[in-house]
Amino acid sequence: MQEKKAETANKNAKKANLLDHGSIKHILDESVTEIVKSRGYVEDVRMSNIRLLLGTIIIVIALVAQFYKKKFPENRDFLIVCIVLYPFYFELTFFIHNCLLQLVIYTKEKNAILFTYPPVGSVTSTGLVVSSKLPRFSDLYTLTIASADPQSISAGKPVELTKSVTQWFTKDGVLVEGLFWKDVETLINDYATEPKKKK
């Protein structure tokens, strides 16, 4: 019986390649998302939908430029127009949409790993923005929880946790979820108990 429990625990354990910075950050970010959602926060996917919409527009523009419903002899005029306008119109439009996509990522998302709505039944009218950083060649993981609408009267002050990832992983690369869970929940509680801004 104990062997089965140990096997189940090993299968469910989150393991990272300790030499791969991206693997470590991915597992920590995934765990943070699980913890925040378990606290009653629902993920806000509007920003992802905007990125998907902009990406779809870029793809549609490329497909229109590439494919046209008529075969070569009949679409000769359209093809000539596309060839003449392509450098000016399609590439410019493609460039503009890509710039918009990058602008959304740079200005709104930054290091955000999760946007949420406020919990159901909560008195606050704003959700959370959870951000994380794990600089290259560093073991210091920084987790920040801030308000999704910093201008709101119910917005709390951002709280931050910076800790070495060596505190949460075993030498085999297994995440010690209990310790990590405790640190993240403490950070969420700190955000919830921070004094609100006064207008």
Side-chain angles (χ1 to χ4, degrees), residues 21-190:
H21 149 276
S23 171
I24 293 170
K25 186 174 183 321
H26 177 75
I27 286 179
L28 292 174
D29 291 351
E30 199 175 82
S31 297
V32 168
T33 301
E34 287 175 21
I35 295 166
V36 171
K37 285 181 177 180
S38 76
R39 295 289 300 258
Y41 290 92
V42 178
E43 186 173 5
D44 180 0
V45 293
R46 286 181 289 187
M47 198 57 61
S48 296
N49 290 344
I50 289 170
R51 286 179 39 209
L52 286 172
L53 178 67
L54 287 173
T56 302
I57 290 170
I58 292 168
I59 290 169
V60 167
I61 290 169
L63 288 174
V64 166
Q66 183 69 29
F67 302 105
Y68 189 64
K69 59 185 170 188
K70 294 181 180 178
K71 298 288 179 193
F72 173 64
E74 296 138 18
N75 75 344
R76 189 174 147 234
D77 296 334
F78 178 75
L79 189 60
I80 290 171
V81 169
C82 274
I83 290 170
V84 171
L85 289 179
Y86 192 80
F88 302 107
Y89 178 71
F90 290 111
E91 285 195 16
L92 183 63
T93 306
F94 187 77
F95 176 74
I96 289 170
H97 280 91
N98 265 326
C99 286
L100 282 174
L101 187 59
Q102 292 303 317
L103 185 69
V104 165
I105 291 169
Y106 182 73
T107 60
K108 289 298 274 180
E109 287 191 358
K110 297 181 183 171
N111 293 320
I113 57 171
L114 179 67
F115 291 91
T116 72
Y117 292 110
V120 178
S122 173
V123 293
T124 63
S125 61
T126 180
L128 302 177
V129 176
V130 182
S131 306
S132 71
K133 283 188 259 183
L134 181 61
R136 196 170 184 170
F137 307 118
S138 174
D139 66 331
L140 295 178
Y141 180 78
T142 302
L143 184 64
T144 307
I145 297 178
S147 173
D149 181 12
Q151 304 303 320
S152 172
I153 195 164
S154 63
K157 289 184 180 178
V159 291
E160 193 173 280
L161 165 74
T162 301
K163 209 168 188 182
S164 172
V165 296
T166 59
Q167 303 292 313
W168 300 313
F169 285 94
T170 65
K171 64 179 181 174
D172 299 324
V174 176
L175 177 64
V176 182
E177 288 188 73
L179 292 175
F180 186 65
W181 192 284
K182 181 181 166 192
D183 287 343
V184 174
E185 281 200 329
T186 301
L187 189 66
I188 294 170
N189 291 337
D190 288 349

